[in-house]
Structure formats: C-alpha cells, structure tokens
C-alpha cells in the first residue's frame, strides 16, 4: 500500500530571507489532511458550553520548506594550464 502521509505540495508565496541574501525564494508547503472522529467529555465543556459533543473534524498538518539545490561537481585539474587558459574540466555532476 503506497499511501504517503503528505499528499499536497503547493507553492505558498515568494519571500526574501536573510539566509538567502537578497534572492527571492519560493516557499512551499507539505500538507497532510485527514478526517477523524472527535468527542468531548462533559468536563471539557464547563468553561465554554458546546452543544455537539461527538462528530467528525478535519485534521491538517503542514510543514513549510524552501527547495535548496544540492549540486555536486567533480573536476579534474590539469597538471599544467592548457593554451586556452583552462586549469581542468568537469568530470561529473549530480
């Protein structure tokens, strides 16, 4: 059964944060939404009377995040610079 906990991944807004300098970054949210049964005990209604003690409620759990690229490059350095001025070449990138 492939049922991921977070089922929504919307873009929320573009923001500017000190960590990223003056660059605008996209803030996204991972969202889990589910329906669950609820019930209140009599003692829970003493302060604020609530007529409905049993029913269903929507539970929402959200985590905000910013995608940060994680790029790794492998560079081979030449023993001597070549006539074009290059000191090496990119061997791989992930």
């Amino acid at each position: 059964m492939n049922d991921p906990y977070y089922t929504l991944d919307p873009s929320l807004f573009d923001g500017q944060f000190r960590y990223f300098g003056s660059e605008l970054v996209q803030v996204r949210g991972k969202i889990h939404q589910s329906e669950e049964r609820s019930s209140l005990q009599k003692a829970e209604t003493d302060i604020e009377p609530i007529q409905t003690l049993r029913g269903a409620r929507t539970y929402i759990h959200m985590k905000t995040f910013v995608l940060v690229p994680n790029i790794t490059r492998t560079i081979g350095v030449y023993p001597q610079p070549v006539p074009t001025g290059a000191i090496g070449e990119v061997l791989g990138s992930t």
Side-chain angles (χ1 to χ4, degrees), residues 9-11 17 19-20 23-30 64-70:
D9 181 13
S11 173
F17 303 93
Y19 181 83
F20 299 105
E23 179 183 356
L24 271 178
V25 293
Q26 184 182 68
V27 178
R28 301 187 64 82
K30 286 185 175 192
T64 58
F65 66 97
V66 172
L67 291 176
V68 178
N70 185 9

Side-chain angles (χ1 to χ4, degrees), residues 50-68:
I50 298 175
Q51 300 301 319
T52 306
L53 299 180
R54 293 185 185 168
R57 64 180 165 211
T58 301
Y59 171 80
I60 296 176
H61 179 202
M62 182 173 83
K63 291 171 119 179
T64 58
F65 66 97
V66 172
L67 291 176
V68 178

